[in-house]
């Protein structure tokens, strides 16, 4: 049974439309839930955390993260999407062993928790044996993060003896759904990540129907470069759109595609930092919101960029404002509000993976996924508009304490239950071993033509040489 806690005297940013922001409130945590919320609750028999001069927010929700790439941190600061696909998907992914996936997911989930992200959609597309899948789940569970483990159905570049075809991979996903991920009440729940749609459409249909048979949320990379016929059009033509789909990127989605996603109840995960860097078009956030599509944010890959949502929120907001302001000249007002992007990263994100009644806002009865931010730090002092300051001034270094389902996973600056130094050594050793097996970092690029052996890019032009 989890501990009973009283967070006393905080500025509570609930992200709940009815409750709004509470200037000085207590939060009672009991049995993993938010048991009560209000001024001076008068509770004396709970462990007290004095959070006067702090902000309490819901845990942030990252709706697109390839957690397995944590050991590759920083290799791709200057990579295009084609560089990335060549280096990571073609050259490095075959050299990940199950133990590499485990340490990657453990450290990656802890990195997220450390930065106030309590829920991750883990798009786990480096599964070459059943042991890889179990290792990925083990890592998430060990970190005590809430996660949608989206089993990646994509094949690696080399044939896998253990999982040689789509049928075998679907069978392995079904194994997990029938065993350790049978319950949708656990912290780690089952999802499916489709192979990119540029595989034969018949295979994609098989994946979608099998995923629906498992009754789990489905996520897919979608329209990250111009294609002849979009994934949304293909699926709409077969009546396969649905509210269980989370579409990632959609930078090249047409207005018709956005309306189709909205009308079918689907949602979008945008990852502005990777999209802006890698040449995946302009982030869809503004267009998606204007079209009425539920939209959230993800960090995507720490192999290239950062792993915290404070950066993603500010980037998503300001780049959209920049584009709009450049279009209108001197703006009369800023239609995209700071509070809107916080809502995207909390409640909207939770709703997009079916967790809107569980997490994403602070309301009695919901699970206690909570973040305490140091509003007494200089970068948050004086505090004028708390909700806006979470977006505009806060950073991951302000995350002091984190609860997941009422359990403190980080307390007053310290990740609990882990020897972070030992984990760091294991992560570095994993990185070194993967790179060594892959023949070293120097040869990761320059072989982009091989991509065409593995993926039909849907009509996108593949540059003929690296760095072009
Ligand atoms: Zn991705």
């Amino acid at each position: 049974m989890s501990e009973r806690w009283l967070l006393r005297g905080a500025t509570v940013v609930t992200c709940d439309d009815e409750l709004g922001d509470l200037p000085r409130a207590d939060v009672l945590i009991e049995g993993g839930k938010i048991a009560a919320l209000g001024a001076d609750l008068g509770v004396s028999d709970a462990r007290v955390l004095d959070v006067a001069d702090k902000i309490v927010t819901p845990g942030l929700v990252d709706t697109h993260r390839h957690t397995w790439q944590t050991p590759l941190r920083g290799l791709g600061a200057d990579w295009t999407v084609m560089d990335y696909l060549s280096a990571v998907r073609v050259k490095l992914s075959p050299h990940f062993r199950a133990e590499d996936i485990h340490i990657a997911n453990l450290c990656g989930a802890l990195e997220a928790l450390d930065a106030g992200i309590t829920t991750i959609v883990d798009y786990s597309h480096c599964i070459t044996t059943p042991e890889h899948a179990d290792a990925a789940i083990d890592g998430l569970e060990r970190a005590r993060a809430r996660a949608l483990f989206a089993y990646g159905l994509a094949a690696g570049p080399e044939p896998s003896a253990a999982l040689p075809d789509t049928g075998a991979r679907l069978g392995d996903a079904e194994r997990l759904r029938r065993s350790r991920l049978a319950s949708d009440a656990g912290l780690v729940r089952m999802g499916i990540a489709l192979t990119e749609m540029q595989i034969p459409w018949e295979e994609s249909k098989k994946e979608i129907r099998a995923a629906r048979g498992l009754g789990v949320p489905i996520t897919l990379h979608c329209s990250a470069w111009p294609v002849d016929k979009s994934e949304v059009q293909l699926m709409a033509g077969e009546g396969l759109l649905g509210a269980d789909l989370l579409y990632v990127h959609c930078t090249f989605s047409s207005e018709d595609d956005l309306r189709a996603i909205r009308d079918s109840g689907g949602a979008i995960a945008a990852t502005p930092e990777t999209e802006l860097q890698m040449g995946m078009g302009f982030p869809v956030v503004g267009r998606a919101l204007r079209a009425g599509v539920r939209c959230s944010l993800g960090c995507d890959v720490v192999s290239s960029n950062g792993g915290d949502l404070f950066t993603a929120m500010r980037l998503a907001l300001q780049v959209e404002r920049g584009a709009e302001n450049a279009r209108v000249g001197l703006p009369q007002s800023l239609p995209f509000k700071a509070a809107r992007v916080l809502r995207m990263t909390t409640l909207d994100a939770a709703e997009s993976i079916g967790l809107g009644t569980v997490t994403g806002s602070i309301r009695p009865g919901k699970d206690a996924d909570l973040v305490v931010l140091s509003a007494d730090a200089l970068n948050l002092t004086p505090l004028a508009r708390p909700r806006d300051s979470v977006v505009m001034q806060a950073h991951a270094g302000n995350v002091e304490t984190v609860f997941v389902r009422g359990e403190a996973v980080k307390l007053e600056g310290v990740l609990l239950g882990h020897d972070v130094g030992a984990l760091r050594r294991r992560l570095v050793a994993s990185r070194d071993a993967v790179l060594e097996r892959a023949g070293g970092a120097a040869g990761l690029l320059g072989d982009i033509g091989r991509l065409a052996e593995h993926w039909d890019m849907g009509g996108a032009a593949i540059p003929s040489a690296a760095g072009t």
Side-chain angles (χ1 to χ4, degrees):
M1 198 59 178
S2 61
E3 211 169 346
R4 200 160 182 258
W5 287 88
L6 183 71
L7 313 188
R8 194 162 61 196
T11 298
V12 181
V13 173
T14 67
C15 296
D16 179 288
D17 289 342
E18 282 177 16
L19 299 174
D21 294 353
L22 308 176
R24 189 170 180 81
D26 298 350
V27 184
L28 179 65
I29 301 171
E30 194 173 74
K33 304 273 188 193
I34 299 163
L37 170 68
D40 301 321
L41 291 177
V43 174
S44 57
D45 55 346
R47 186 168 171 187
V48 173
L49 199 62
D50 181 1
V51 285
D53 288 331
K54 314 287 180 186
I55 299 172
V56 175
T57 71
L60 304 179
V61 179
D62 180 337
T63 52
H64 188 68
R65 193 175 186 112
H66 302 293
T67 321
W68 66 270
Q69 291 178 23
T70 307
L72 307 180
R73 187 186 312 284
L75 292 177
D78 301 316
W79 284 347
T80 67
V81 66
M82 297 302 168
D83 292 336
Y84 163 82
L85 289 172
S86 171
V88 175
R89 300 289 297 280
V90 173
K91 293 200 173 162
L92 289 167
S93 71
H95 301 289
F96 273 73
R97 296 175 178 166
E99 63 262 31
D100 301 305
I101 299 289
H102 179 264
I103 191 67
N105 266 28
L106 171 53
C107 290
L110 284 175
E111 171 192 1
L113 290 167
D114 197 38
I117 297 166
T118 53
T119 302
I120 303 168
V121 177
D122 179 26
Y123 199 115
S124 190
H125 62 350
C126 184
I127 296 174
T128 48
T129 71
E131 291 73 33
H132 283 63
D134 279 298
I137 299 166
D138 290 344
L140 297 171
E141 288 181 346
R142 178 72 187 86
R144 297 188 291 160
R146 189 185 295 280
L148 185 76
F149 168 72
Y151 188 111
L153 296 175
E158 312 297 340
S160 156
L163 299 171
D165 52 32
T166 306
R169 289 188 291 278
L170 286 169
D172 193 44
E174 191 176 343
R175 168 186 68 87
L176 292 167
R177 182 61 171 154
R178 286 189 174 167
S179 54
R180 63 188 302 185
L181 298 183
S183 168
D184 289 334
L187 270 188
V188 178
R189 305 192 327 160
M190 180 89 188
I192 288 287
L194 301 179
T195 305
E196 284 78 358
M197 286 286 183
Q198 286 75 30
I199 59 170
W201 173 231
E202 290 304 315
E203 292 289 299
S204 293
K205 283 197 285 189
K206 194 191 298 181
E207 289 188 0
I208 295 166
R209 291 192 170 118
R212 291 229 159 97
L214 301 179
V216 299
I218 303 166
T219 186
L220 71 150
H221 290 128
C222 181
S223 297
W225 49 75
V227 291
D228 300 335
K229 194 162 190 182
S230 75
E231 297 86 344
V232 172
Q233 286 176 286
L234 286 167
M235 287 192 284
E238 302 270 351
L240 289 172
L241 299 178
D244 52 0
L245 285 163
L246 175 63
Y247 306 81
V248 181
H249 302 312
C250 298
T251 37
F252 287 94
S253 292
S254 67
E255 298 302 310
D256 282 347
D257 282 3
L258 295 180
R259 280 190 288 272
I261 293 171
R262 176 197 64 200
D263 292 345
S264 58
I268 290 175
T271 67
E273 199 166 5
T274 48
E275 291 154 2
L276 289 164
Q277 172 184 325
M278 293 191 187
M280 290 194 279
F282 193 82
V284 74
V285 173
R287 289 199 301 129
L289 294 178
R290 286 191 290 276
V293 182
R294 187 177 288 118
C295 186
S296 56
L297 299 177
C299 295
D300 203 353
V301 290
V302 299
S303 48
S304 285
N305 47 260
D308 77 276
L309 283 174
F310 295 100
T311 302
M313 281 195 284
R314 199 138 71 236
L315 197 56
L317 178 67
Q318 302 293 45
V319 77
E320 177 61 29
R321 285 173 165 177
E324 180 67 8
N325 292 344
R327 193 181 66 76
V328 302
L330 195 60
Q332 299 277 327
S333 65
L334 299 176
F336 189 9
K337 307 298 185 195
R340 186 73 190 83
V341 79
L342 182 61
R343 167 72 176 241
M344 285 170 56
T345 315
T346 52
L347 190 55
D348 288 359
E351 287 175 343
S352 73
I353 51 171
L355 287 176
T357 59
V358 177
T359 189
S361 62
I362 300 177
R363 185 179 185 86
K366 283 190 132 180
D367 281 11
D369 292 358
L370 302 169
V371 172
V372 178
L373 298 173
S374 55
D376 50 350
L378 279 175
N379 69 301
L380 289 171
T381 303
L383 194 61
R385 296 158 59 97
R387 195 185 317 188
D388 294 343
S389 287
V390 173
V391 175
M392 304 306 286
Q393 278 89 38
H395 54 66
N398 295 122
V399 175
E400 284 190 345
T401 295
V402 179
F403 291 90
V404 178
R405 198 186 268 176
E407 298 271 2
V409 293
K410 181 179 185 181
L411 186 60
E412 297 181 319
V414 178
L415 284 170
L416 301 179
H418 297 278
D419 180 344
V420 174
L423 289 177
R424 288 186 62 236
R425 287 190 289 279
R426 284 175 58 196
L427 191 62
V428 172
S430 169
R431 187 272 311 269
D432 291 347
V434 168
L435 280 178
E436 189 181 334
R437 290 195 290 270
L444 293 176
L445 304 182
D447 196 12
I448 281 178
R450 279 194 65 202
L451 275 181
E453 297 170 25
H454 306 290
W455 282 290
D456 173 351
M457 305 295 282
I462 299 178
S464 57
T468 57

